[in-house]
Amino acid sequence: MEDQQDKEQPLLGVAPESGPNAMAKSDPKNQYLAAGVVSGVATLTIGMVLGFSAILLPQLEEERTLTADEKSWIASLSNIGQLGGSVATGILSGKFGRRYTIMMLCVPLAIGWAIIGFSKGNVLYISIGRIFQGLGVMSSVTQVYLVEIADTQRRGIFGASGAMSVSAGITITYVLGAFLPWRIVCLVCGLVPVAVLILMIPLPETPPWLVLNGRKEDAETALGWLRGQEYNVSTEIESLLKAQGNKNTNNSLWETLKVFQYPPAYKPFIILMTVFLLQQLTGTYAVIFYAVNMFKDIGVSTNPYVPAILTGLIRFIGTLVGTVLLKHFGRKPLMAVSGVIMGVFMVSLAATLHYKDKYSSCLGLDEVDMNISIEASTTEIPLLQDLDCSKVESPNIRKFLDIYPIVAVVLYMLAFGTGVGTVPWLLLGELCPSKVKSVASGITVFVAFITIFGVVKAFPFMMTYLGAPATYGFYAVICFITGVFTWLFVPETRGKSLAEIQTIFGTLD
């Protein structure tokens, strides 16, 4: 049963999809089919790229010696490719459409997997392959596609499913790496973009893009396919036309950029940029990229792939839970609460590792790198003087200090998936007007990947020079800031049509 918010009347006379058309017979099976291809297959490739370094690095270390700098470059270079790819994706999806852009990105992605697979462990070739992988990452365009094909009732599920699919891709890569050599993992992952290219052929372009480009009849055909032939598409078409506005109908890149001078364009854009910047600075991608080595350095006695796979699985479960919760709660409270809970677990992790470091000599935890660095530190932990070791109950404390860091990381990832990891990607396709959405999403993802690159590249050095408690304490502060910013500035979009959302900050008329 929908709550009262879902029954709100549209703003500024824009009719939601749940208005007059609610009485028409709408068959959503084609919406689920299109979303299944884009979210269940195309978006899966993003998680595979993100999770690959975590299984590549420990296997590659068994074949050759890698420096800490080489490891950090291999882990982070895919983000360099994503920097150029995100801007190009924004331009391409605006000019050629969301569907064709997804198909085009399959090419560099497949090339990247092939280069790494045939690299014979050469760091230079692996680095080049990682850049190509980044060029092929489809983060912004798949999210825009999912939101733009959905009706009001299914937009939240489709938008959140992208984050869930990324989590699934990371987990699948961890599982493959636990049982298969990294070269075979490259082969398996490299076949996925080929499948995406084939599966995208029969799918339609998104109606908002078609309307924006003056292809009203094509938009009606696409809507008829997505909603069912008995669905009255005219009201939805008219609402999209009204939401587009009349300013700068020229769709050149320069004319699109000029639209950002108006509040309906720049206000949601600034909010999106800030939300994604905070999302990356919470440190989750440092955990994802270095998962296996991280658990090794914590001192996990079992196969380190096990907790890494568990972390990926928990992230997937978190996004699954978040997707379900989006049907019952607003975007704003879900993300705000998620950020605060993440901060709590980061604080507790920092405190636990500080305590573990302090009492390592009492507990006999010899030769364990308390800083969880990517490469064992060459500096020795100074002997701590005047510690009252008689007050330390070694068996119980040892067990707690061994187990809780894993528990904290897992619960932190679970909280991330339920809100902070899910809602921003949904907002990416919702907030900005269609007229600037391609460029806005591309620039937003560009900034996000710069931040991911910085976080991933800096992580081993922060652990070495600042130590684990300070590093995780920094992430905790960002988590709390994310929760506060979301509550104060992010608009609620639940229950509103896509056309209505794009008038929250005014219209471009």
Side-chain angles (χ1 to χ4, degrees):
M1 180 176 179
E2 300 293 335
D3 61 14
Q4 186 63 34
Q5 185 181 16
D6 290 340
K7 298 177 182 178
E8 289 179 357
Q9 294 301 313
L11 299 175
L12 302 177
V14 179
E17 295 92 287
S18 56
N21 283 323
M23 299 302 294
K25 293 182 178 180
S26 177
D27 185 356
K29 70 174 184 297
N30 285 342
Q31 286 186 64
Y32 285 108
L33 175 62
V37 171
V38 174
S39 179
V41 186
T43 311
L44 200 70
T45 63
I46 303 171
M48 289 178 166
V49 172
L50 293 177
F52 182 63
S53 65
I55 66 100
L56 172 65
L57 292 176
Q59 291 193 25
L60 200 58
E61 283 184 291
E62 296 176 359
E63 301 177 9
R64 52 163 299 163
T65 301
L66 294 173
T67 66
D69 194 49
E70 286 176 329
K71 295 176 190 177
S72 65
W73 278 115
I74 290 173
S76 60
L77 269 175
S78 64
N79 296 295
I80 294 295
Q82 289 167 351
L83 296 182
S86 59
V87 174
T89 297
I91 297 172
L92 291 173
S93 65
K95 184 174 181 60
F96 298 105
R98 309 358 177 170
R99 172 175 167 267
Y100 280 122
T101 301
I102 291 173
M103 296 170 72
M104 285 187 282
L105 292 176
C106 292
V107 177
L109 184 56
I111 290 174
W113 285 112
I115 291 175
I116 297 175
F118 291 105
S119 67
K120 297 182 179 180
N122 183 288
V123 173
L124 175 61
Y125 290 134
I126 291 175
S127 299
I128 294 173
R130 290 288 282 168
I131 293 174
F132 269 93
Q133 285 181 329
L135 287 171
V137 164
M138 317 170 180
S139 299
S140 61
V141 66
T142 53
Q143 199 61 32
V144 171
Y145 187 95
L146 287 169
V147 170
E148 289 189 343
I149 65 169
D151 56 27
T152 302
Q153 290 79 11
R154 278 159 278 272
R155 196 181 65 248
I157 295 176
F158 287 1
S161 68
M164 186 168 63
S165 187
V166 171
S167 299
I170 293 170
T171 307
I172 289 171
T173 306
Y174 288 171
V175 173
L176 290 173
F179 297 99
L180 298 173
W182 62 267
R183 294 172 179 82
I184 303 300
V185 175
C186 284
L187 173 62
V188 175
C189 295
L191 292 175
V192 179
V194 177
V196 173
L197 183 61
I198 296 171
L199 292 171
M200 286 298 299
I201 294 174
L203 299 186
E205 184 52 72
T206 68
W209 184 87
L210 293 169
V211 169
L212 179 64
N213 286 271
R215 296 167 57 179
K216 182 178 177 181
E217 291 184 1
D218 291 337
E220 291 173 346
T221 301
L223 270 178
W225 187 86
L226 290 166
R227 308 287 189 261
Q229 294 302 318
E230 296 184 27
Y231 183 85
N232 180 14
V233 303
S234 59
T235 302
E236 191 167 345
I237 291 291
E238 290 305 315
S239 68
L240 287 172
L241 286 169
K242 186 174 292 187
Q244 301 295 355
N246 297 318
K247 288 185 181 292
N248 297 319
T249 54
N250 186 326
N251 291 323
S252 68
L253 177 60
W254 175 244
E255 292 298 330
T256 300
L257 291 174
K258 286 169 64 176
V259 178
F260 282 101
Q261 67 184 296
Y262 303 106
Y266 72 72
K267 285 184 178 180
F269 176 60
I270 291 173
I271 290 173
L272 278 176
M273 291 269 286
T274 306
V275 165
F276 270 89
L277 182 66
L278 291 172
Q279 183 197 53
Q280 314 316 324
L281 289 175
T282 58
T284 53
Y285 285 97
V287 176
I288 291 169
F289 276 64
Y290 295 117
V292 176
N293 278 7
M294 177 180 167
F295 283 113
K296 276 185 177 179
D297 293 333
I298 284 177
V300 177
S301 57
T302 59
N303 184 339
Y305 282 96
V306 174
I309 291 171
L310 178 62
T311 301
L313 184 61
I314 289 296
R315 188 179 190 271
F316 172 77
I317 293 172
T319 53
L320 178 61
V321 171
T323 302
V324 174
L325 291 177
L326 281 169
K327 287 290 292 180
H328 305 284
F329 300 95
R331 279 65 153 152
K332 176 183 290 195
L334 203 58
M335 184 170 171
V337 172
S338 169
V340 171
I341 294 175
M342 288 171 63
V344 170
F345 284 118
M346 277 291 99
V347 167
S348 65
L349 176 62
T352 301
L353 293 175
H354 172 74
Y355 187 86
K356 186 173 183 179
D357 188 7
K358 182 178 180 181
Y359 287 99
S360 59
S361 59
C362 292
L363 299 173
L365 302 177
D366 298 328
E367 299 181 2
V368 175
D369 184 1
M370 294 298 106
N371 286 334
I372 317 178
S373 61
I374 302 310
E375 186 173 74
S377 175
T378 57
T379 61
E380 295 182 359
I381 299 174
L383 293 177
L384 298 166
Q385 303 297 327
D386 302 324
L387 284 179
D388 188 358
C389 293
S390 63
K391 296 182 179 180
V392 180
E393 299 179 10
S394 297
N396 292 334
I397 293 180
R398 182 198 294 268
K399 182 180 293 185
F400 175 82
L401 295 179
D402 282 343
I403 294 175
Y404 186 75
I406 300 174
V407 174
V409 170
V410 167
L411 294 178
Y412 160 81
M413 294 302 293
L414 178 63
F416 173 79
T418 58
V420 174
T422 304
V423 174
W425 293 103
L426 177 56
L427 296 177
L428 184 68
E430 286 185 334
L431 283 188
C432 287
S434 295
K435 190 169 291 186
V436 298
K437 187 176 294 184
S438 298
V439 174
S441 62
I443 296 175
T444 300
V445 173
F446 174 84
V447 171
F449 286 138
I450 286 180
T451 312
I452 293 175
F453 173 78
V455 169
V456 173
K457 193 75 174 71
F459 180 70
F461 300 100
M462 290 177 68
M463 302 304 283
T464 299
Y465 296 108
L466 298 180
T471 299
Y472 292 124
F474 169 77
Y475 293 151
V477 171
I478 299 298
C479 290
F480 289 125
I481 292 175
T482 301
V484 173
F485 177 85
T486 300
W487 190 258
L488 293 178
F489 299 106
V490 174
E492 184 55 69
T493 60
R494 180 177 177 246
K496 295 179 173 65
S497 71
L498 191 60
E500 184 182 356
I501 291 169
Q502 295 179 5
T503 63
I504 289 177
F505 300 98
T507 64
L508 293 174
D509 291 317

